[in-house]
Amino acid sequence: MARSSGYLDTLLTSPTTERYRVGISLLFLLGVWLTVGSFSQGMPNSMLLMAAAVIGGYMAINIGANDVANNVGPAVGSGALSLGAAVVIAAIFEAGGAIIAGGDVVSTIKGGIIDPSNLEDSRAFVWLMTAALLAGALWLNLATWMGAPVSTTHSIVGGVLGAGIAAGGWGVADWAVMGKIAASWVISPVLGGALAALFLFAIKKTVLYRKEVIPAARTFVPWLVAIMAWAFGTYLMIKGVKKIVKVDFLEATLIGLAAAAVVFFIMRTLVGRMASTMENSSAGVNTLFTWPLIFAAALLSFAHGANDVANAIGPLAAINDALSANSVVTSASIPMWVMMVGALGLAVGLMLFGPRLIKTVGSEITELDKTRAFCIALSAALTVILASQLGLPVSSTHIAIGGVFGVGFLREYLKSNYATQLHKIMEHHDPAEQERLKPFLDDFRNASVEEMENLLKQAKKKKQVPLSKSERKRLKKIYREEMVKRSHLVRIAAAWIITVPASAIMAATLFFTLRGLLI
């Protein structure tokens, strides 16, 4: 495993490999240019449409490189999926979601953040959309290079806002909508992190902290996976296939409940069969979540492709319609060639550049096992459902990353809390019995979070000796270890905060540049 991991690290950072990735991306964009050029010959502004198509393809590549990591990163980090399998599954389901459920019509003004009636003419609208698309893609490219998973929706929102202000002045923007988007910077990760931590704590209390893990797993794991099935069934109805089948929330919930009932009986049978050979530990419980995590990664990718492909093809469809009708459009039909640019771009970006962010989300922020990854995936679906019903603006990227941080901080809290309890139990014992303490310290140092509570109970029952001052410092040092990398927290939070203003400034600059070149 270490050898394959080292090989993967070398492959990801190799300058030669990076050149091949860039070369393949350029070939894809060249194919987009030639394809659009072949059927737009003789059309007015065909060169502008070809350029917009290439920019749309570039945006799609960057969405695949950055945003898709949130869907499969936890599954990869936990070991439920290998990196290669995750990339293939996500590429197939992202492209499938975009083509099957991406919709026939898309809103051209993402989130209603600007009023197009303030624009001078269709040319200004085309320049606005082109600048917004390119600015969003450039920011995503930079964020991916920095290893920061950011919201692709916020990137394109910032682009439309900045170019819109450049084109129509400050009054063109709807600042109330922008306020809601800014609120999502806090709402999304807090909700995602809180739910993920809550589910992980519940699993620990009901299953992992029990002396007999297997009977507890037989009782509770089928219910946990059934809850996940309900969440994903409902999630797919309201977010993934809403453009194919129109359902209200009650209908979506009933469909989710039907899926949950089927999954519950399947999981109860499977857990019962595996119980006889399952290890009576957290490692044994972990194996029960492998297939739920694989399905979660696929379904999250499908829903993401259906929804977020609009960030790449929405402006491109708007440009195509505006050039054809010579007018500003507030909703645009999506030709199949536009949809294919988005779908294939997502897959290309994921396969070429996605592994870098998948590693960040899956293993570099905090250590994940299958139980923790399950809680993150479940939190992602439930948060989207909850937010959609409350009318709260949330980002799927921020939710998923918040979930990763949530389980990491819970682990830190549990370890520090248990260590504190140990100090209180030990400090009043006779120092002469320190030799009896040494085996316990060795076990404690190597214990997992799940094993610490049992060790504490044993210490209390056996009246273990107190820790010396040096031993106390040593134990504190071990359990003050960061389970969440603060450097990643600071970098990602900073990238989230500046996403909208950064893409807005770039878009405004590009708009003025385009207008100067094309007038």
Side-chain angles (χ1 to χ4, degrees):
M1 180 67 72
R3 181 179 177 182
S4 62
S5 177
Y7 174 75
L8 178 60
D9 291 341
T10 303
L11 189 64
L12 289 171
T13 57
S14 168
T16 304
T17 305
E18 194 69 26
R19 287 197 294 271
Y20 280 124
R21 291 187 187 124
V22 173
I24 294 171
S25 300
L26 291 175
L27 285 176
F28 169 72
L29 296 178
L30 177 61
V32 171
W33 172 274
L34 295 175
T35 301
V36 176
S38 67
F39 64 75
S40 64
Q41 283 184 344
M43 294 172 54
N45 300 307
S46 63
M47 290 295 290
L48 186 55
L49 180 61
M50 292 163 65
V54 170
I55 296 171
Y58 175 50
M59 178 64 167
I61 287 174
N62 283 287
I63 292 174
N66 191 289
D67 217 22
V68 180
N70 308 310
N71 303 327
V72 298
V76 173
S78 68
L81 279 172
S82 67
L83 181 61
V87 168
V88 171
I89 288 173
I92 292 171
F93 280 87
E94 284 279 340
I99 294 171
I100 296 170
D104 299 320
V105 177
V106 67
S107 171
T108 62
I109 310 299
K110 186 71 179 180
I113 55 172
I114 66 169
D115 181 4
S117 64
N118 289 357
L119 301 179
E120 299 173 359
D121 53 31
S122 62
R123 290 187 306 166
F125 180 76
V126 170
W127 299 336
L128 184 160
M129 285 297 168
T130 304
L133 196 56
L134 182 55
L138 288 171
W139 170 248
L140 282 176
N141 202 159
L142 178 61
T144 303
W145 177 76
M146 293 189 302
V150 297
S151 169
T152 57
T153 301
H154 289 180
S155 300
I156 198 65
V157 161
V160 172
L161 176 68
I165 292 173
W170 291 95
V172 77
D174 187 333
W175 295 106
V177 172
M178 286 307 303
K180 292 181 180 179
I181 291 172
S184 75
W185 298 338
V186 177
I187 294 170
S188 299
V190 169
L191 271 178
L195 281 177
L198 179 65
F199 275 104
L200 181 59
F201 188 72
I203 291 174
K204 288 179 181 296
K205 280 294 186 182
T206 58
V207 180
L208 299 178
Y209 287 167
R210 298 292 180 89
K211 184 176 181 180
E212 295 297 330
V213 171
I214 293 177
R218 294 181 67 171
T219 300
F220 290 104
V221 169
W223 286 106
L224 290 167
V225 179
I227 292 171
M228 182 186 227
W230 171 82
F232 274 98
T234 306
Y235 177 85
L236 284 178
M237 287 297 103
I238 63 175
K239 300 294 285 186
V241 296
K242 62 181 179 180
K243 296 171 183 176
I244 301 176
V245 181
K246 298 294 184 182
V247 295
D248 59 27
F249 181 71
L250 178 59
E251 292 170 332
T253 300
L254 292 175
I255 292 171
L257 285 174
V262 173
V263 168
F264 173 78
F265 288 110
I266 292 174
M267 283 302 300
R268 191 168 67 172
T269 302
L270 289 177
V271 173
R273 289 177 181 175
M274 296 174 66
S276 59
T277 58
M278 193 171 73
E279 182 182 344
N280 188 43
S281 67
S282 59
V285 175
N286 261 313
T287 61
L288 300 176
F289 293 110
T290 300
W291 279 104
L293 278 173
I294 294 172
F295 280 106
L299 295 176
L300 282 171
S301 297
F302 183 89
H304 179 269
N307 282 279
D308 282 26
V309 70
N311 293 328
I313 65 172
L316 177 55
I319 293 168
N320 180 61
D321 272 20
L323 290 176
S324 302
N326 197 29
S327 63
V328 176
V329 292
T330 57
S331 62
S333 60
I334 305 178
M336 181 51 69
W337 71 266
V338 172
M339 186 63 76
M340 292 302 297
V341 167
L344 293 177
L346 285 175
V348 168
L350 168 65
M351 289 188 289
L352 295 179
F353 304 104
R356 180 176 299 167
L357 266 295
I358 290 173
K359 282 186 65 184
T360 297
V361 174
S363 59
E364 294 179 358
I365 295 174
T366 192
E367 181 183 345
L368 295 177
D369 60 15
K370 295 181 181 70
T371 306
R372 297 168 201 147
F374 172 84
C375 295
I376 294 166
L378 179 55
S379 167
L382 285 175
T383 303
V384 170
I385 294 169
L386 178 64
S388 66
Q389 294 311 299
L390 296 177
L392 299 174
V394 293
S395 161
S396 59
T397 299
H398 293 188
I399 292 168
I401 301 302
V404 175
F405 281 116
V407 299
F409 282 125
L410 177 65
R411 293 176 65 216
E412 280 194 6
Y413 168 76
L414 291 176
K415 277 207 168 184
S416 63
N417 188 48
Y418 292 159
T420 300
Q421 291 182 46
L422 183 68
H423 296 320
K424 290 179 179 178
I425 293 170
M426 296 294 193
E427 63 187 4
H428 299 299
H429 290 275
D430 185 356
E433 298 178 347
Q434 287 188 7
E435 282 301 316
R436 292 175 55 194
L437 176 62
K438 190 176 184 304
F440 177 83
L441 281 176
D442 292 337
D443 291 340
F444 189 75
R445 186 181 301 109
N446 297 318
S448 66
V449 178
E450 291 77 13
E451 294 166 342
M452 292 183 68
E453 187 172 54
N454 289 331
L455 285 171
L456 285 173
K457 291 177 180 177
Q458 292 172 15
K460 187 174 182 179
K461 180 187 292 187
K462 295 179 180 179
K463 301 294 184 184
Q464 291 286 2
V465 295
L467 301 170
S468 68
K469 184 176 180 181
S470 62
E471 289 169 335
R472 198 158 48 243
K473 287 181 177 179
R474 182 180 181 185
L475 190 58
K476 286 180 180 179
K477 182 179 179 181
I478 292 171
Y479 289 100
R480 282 179 178 171
E481 174 190 358
E482 288 187 352
M483 307 234 142
V484 178
K485 301 301 181 186
R486 266 55 171 183
S487 58
H488 286 293
L489 175 61
V490 172
R491 186 176 74 245
I492 291 171
W496 287 356
I497 292 170
I498 66 173
T499 288
V500 170
S503 55
I505 291 170
M506 284 193 286
T509 304
L510 289 168
F511 175 83
F512 288 126
T513 303
L514 285 171
R515 189 175 67 174
L517 291 173
L518 297 176
I519 288 181

